[in-house]
Amino acid sequence: MINLRDYQTKIVADCRQAFREGDRKVVVQLATGGGKTVLGSFMVHGAAQQRALTCWWLVHRRELISQASKTFYDMGIPHGIIAGGHASDPLARVQVGSIQTIARRLDKMPPPDMIVFDETHHIGAAQWSEIFARFPQAYVLGLTATPWRLDGRGLGQWYARMVQGPTVAELIERGSLSPYRLFAPSAPDMRAVQTQAGDYKQRALAEIMDKPSITGDAVQHYRQLCPGKRAVAFAVSIEHSRHIAAEFNAAGIRAEHVDGTMDIAARDAAVARFVAGDTLILSNAELFGEGFDVPAIEAAILLRPTKSLSLYLQQVGRALRPAPGKAQAVILDHAGNSLTHGLPDDEREWTLDDREKQRRAAESAAPVRQCAKCFRVYRPAPKCPGCGFAAPVAVREIEKRDGELVEVDASAVKEHRKAEERACKSLADWQRLGAARGYKPGWALKQFQIREQYRSRRKAA
């Protein structure tokens, strides 16, 4: 039996309270590495054992099936698996199922009393929505680190309530996630790359990123910043991923490429060699953004630019799980994603509401600067936290320096946010700041009223 952390216990209690109050569709937002699978399994166990409910745990990747099944075994939860290549146990009250397989067998299966959708930010996909709509009376629990869709639709179309766990910063502070150092180059020029389904078109993206002059020398920076550490590299395409692995191998650093088209046994063997430390670099394309939980990963190498905040946070989250002997994670951002989406532990406001176009545009605003003197990358602040250089009021654009990684220092985040807020004098100032941060309009009014009340009290005194 696995004991829950205190915040997991609270999330479980809040979800059960929502169910008791009549909200049958509840989504849990908890950062990658925060333990969504464990707390969800705990709820499934209680529903199946204490209330004799039929429960489905649904996922969209084979790796997620293995992850959920292992957790169930660890917790002593009897279960069947409904997915290609697995022998099913139709009598088990709990079933771990592939979305694709379940969708094909809906007419042949008894209806569930409770459904858990893992990585539920994919809920808008056709098969997901079909399953969701088929059982309106079922209790539904959605699990995700990032309840946002690229098309701007909120999950409120499917869920009545959201229960939130601690932020990434809070999880790092309490030791549930690893501290990190983030290094980033100037962003690659993406102006010529068109978008499709809300993200960059893969072919055009590969043409730009599969070049050392644009991505920087990943091998060099790995040697410089985290030599000997196990790292997962995120590539644009299968060919790009193979090139990354080949470059590391040519430099004498053991590396392998894996992708979803490989033989399952061969892919599992490659992952096993990585876990054992026989392979140091595991390069992949669109495979390990979700459901690859190896706490010993000490570095993430980002070589795939994305407009998706969710994908970015999923990728860096692979390296943030704590492990014995792991003092900190290292993130090597050759794709400029941190310049677009910010730091992994930035304060973010999650909501079930749809996002307006202007808010989605604000999410793409570069939130970091590069010092004109020492080229340190940091949050906008009066002075560079590295060398103390005070930038002029008209801050120049980030100078492009191909292949040079500089560290993103998170220590300036709080200082910058406070400085921004001290500069707000009117409601319009607060509204502009709130829009830039992607907050709901109500945040600006609340902050303005708090400051006005404070000023009134000081004037009266």
Side-chain angles (χ1 to χ4, degrees):
M1 191 66 177
I2 297 178
N3 294 321
L4 297 181
R5 300 167 184 168
D6 56 352
Y7 66 83
Q8 292 173 319
T9 299
K10 183 180 186 304
I11 292 172
V12 169
D14 290 346
C15 289
R16 288 174 172 170
Q17 181 62 28
F19 287 152
R20 284 193 292 269
E21 292 175 359
D23 290 333
R24 288 178 172 261
K25 320 298 182 186
V26 178
V27 61
V28 170
Q29 183 277 318
L30 181 61
T32 299
K36 294 182 293 296
T37 302
V38 171
L39 72 86
S41 302
F42 188 89
M43 292 190 66
V44 165
H45 183 61
Q49 297 297 316
Q50 299 173 19
R51 300 186 61 191
L53 300 183
T54 298
C55 303
W56 290 358
W57 184 286
L58 303 185
V59 301
H60 70 300
R61 290 182 182 270
R62 189 182 66 86
E63 291 77 16
L64 293 173
I65 291 176
S66 300
Q67 174 187 316
S69 182
K70 182 182 183 303
T71 301
F72 286 4
Y73 278 122
D74 290 342
M75 298 183 69
I77 303 175
H79 63 282
I81 297 179
I82 303 175
H86 292 272
S88 61
D89 178 5
L91 299 180
R93 200 174 295 279
V94 176
Q95 298 286 348
V96 177
S98 157
I99 291 281
Q100 296 84 352
T101 303
I102 292 287
R104 291 194 299 266
R105 301 182 186 179
L106 280 178
D107 294 330
K108 302 177 182 179
M109 300 179 62
D113 302 300
M114 180 178 183
I115 305 175
V116 177
F117 285 99
D118 198 9
E119 306 296 352
T120 198
H121 47 276
H122 297 291
I123 191 69
Q127 291 180 322
W128 294 66
S129 293
E130 180 185 5
I131 297 171
F132 186 95
R134 180 68 70 94
F135 309 104
Q137 296 305 311
Y139 293 99
V140 176
L141 180 69
L143 304 175
T144 181
T146 52
W148 277 0
R149 290 175 48 82
L150 271 174
D151 61 9
R153 281 190 297 167
L155 299 189
Q157 178 177 335
W158 296 274
Y159 293 99
R161 189 181 302 192
M162 179 165 61
V163 174
Q164 293 183 254
T167 65
V168 173
E170 291 168 341
L171 290 172
I172 291 175
E173 184 177 356
R174 64 189 298 147
S176 297
L177 291 180
S178 173
Y180 69 90
R181 296 171 66 199
L182 194 152
F183 297 82
S186 53
D189 187 353
M190 306 301 297
R191 288 175 296 180
V193 182
Q194 296 180 330
T195 60
Q196 184 175 33
D199 208 350
Y200 297 115
K201 284 189 174 181
Q202 187 184 68
R203 179 173 296 181
L205 189 61
E207 290 177 357
I208 285 181
M209 293 305 298
D210 200 0
K211 297 177 182 178
S213 62
I214 300 296
T215 64
D217 187 348
V219 175
Q220 173 189 339
H221 291 102
Y222 171 84
R223 280 176 161 168
Q224 176 185 344
L225 298 168
C226 52
K229 305 297 185 183
R230 276 174 288 189
V232 173
F234 295 93
V236 174
S237 65
I238 291 175
E239 184 179 16
H240 184 205
S241 179
R242 287 174 176 155
H243 290 166
I244 294 167
E247 287 189 30
F248 275 97
N249 281 315
I253 301 169
R254 298 184 304 277
E256 293 191 63
H257 154 80
V258 290
D259 65 71
T261 68
M262 291 174 58
D263 175 77
I264 292 176
R267 193 170 72 194
D268 287 347
V271 172
R273 287 189 290 272
F274 177 79
V275 172
D278 298 328
T279 298
L280 291 178
I281 309 296
L282 197 60
S283 185
N284 80 104
E286 305 293 349
L287 188 61
F288 293 148
E290 299 168 339
F292 184 57
D293 297 328
V294 179
I297 294 172
E298 294 164 290
I301 304 174
L302 310 186
L303 290 158
R304 187 225 191 276
T306 179
K307 288 190 172 184
S308 169
L309 172 64
S310 297
L311 179 58
Y312 164 61
L313 293 179
Q314 292 280 358
Q315 290 181 349
V316 298
R318 300 303 111 198
L320 296 183
R321 295 178 182 274
K326 178 179 175 180
Q328 61 186 1
V330 176
I331 300 167
L332 307 181
D333 181 13
H334 295 262
N337 289 329
S338 60
L339 304 179
T340 299
H341 301 297
L343 300 173
D345 56 345
D346 274 351
E347 179 182 346
R348 294 179 171 89
E349 183 181 32
W350 305 109
T351 175
L352 294 178
D353 299 332
D354 292 346
R355 289 171 289 143
E356 301 86 354
K357 290 183 179 179
Q358 60 267 31
R359 290 187 61 197
R360 276 177 271 164
E363 291 159 15
S364 298
V368 291
R369 289 178 182 164
Q370 188 177 42
C371 177
K373 186 175 181 180
C374 72
F375 302 105
R376 180 90 167 247
V377 178
Y378 62 97
R379 284 291 183 186
K383 295 181 179 180
C384 170
C387 67
F389 175 73
V393 176
V395 181
R396 66 175 178 80
E397 293 295 323
I398 294 175
E399 179 182 343
K400 184 171 181 178
R401 298 169 60 87
D402 290 341
E404 179 175 346
L405 289 186
V406 287
E407 184 170 2
V408 176
D409 191 338
S411 63
V413 174
K414 291 183 180 180
E415 177 187 350
H416 165 60
R417 286 184 174 276
K418 290 179 180 178
E420 282 185 326
E421 293 169 3
R422 286 195 297 269
C424 291
K425 305 300 181 185
S426 66
L427 177 57
D429 292 337
W430 284 104
Q431 289 171 336
R432 281 191 291 271
L433 179 59
R437 292 182 177 179
Y439 291 169
K440 291 189 291 186
W443 177 85
L445 179 59
K446 181 179 179 181
Q447 297 301 319
F448 176 72
Q449 291 172 339
I450 290 173
R451 268 62 177 189
E452 286 299 297
Q453 291 171 1
Y454 175 72
R455 288 171 183 160
S456 297
R457 287 197 297 268
R458 286 194 61 185
K459 187 178 295 185

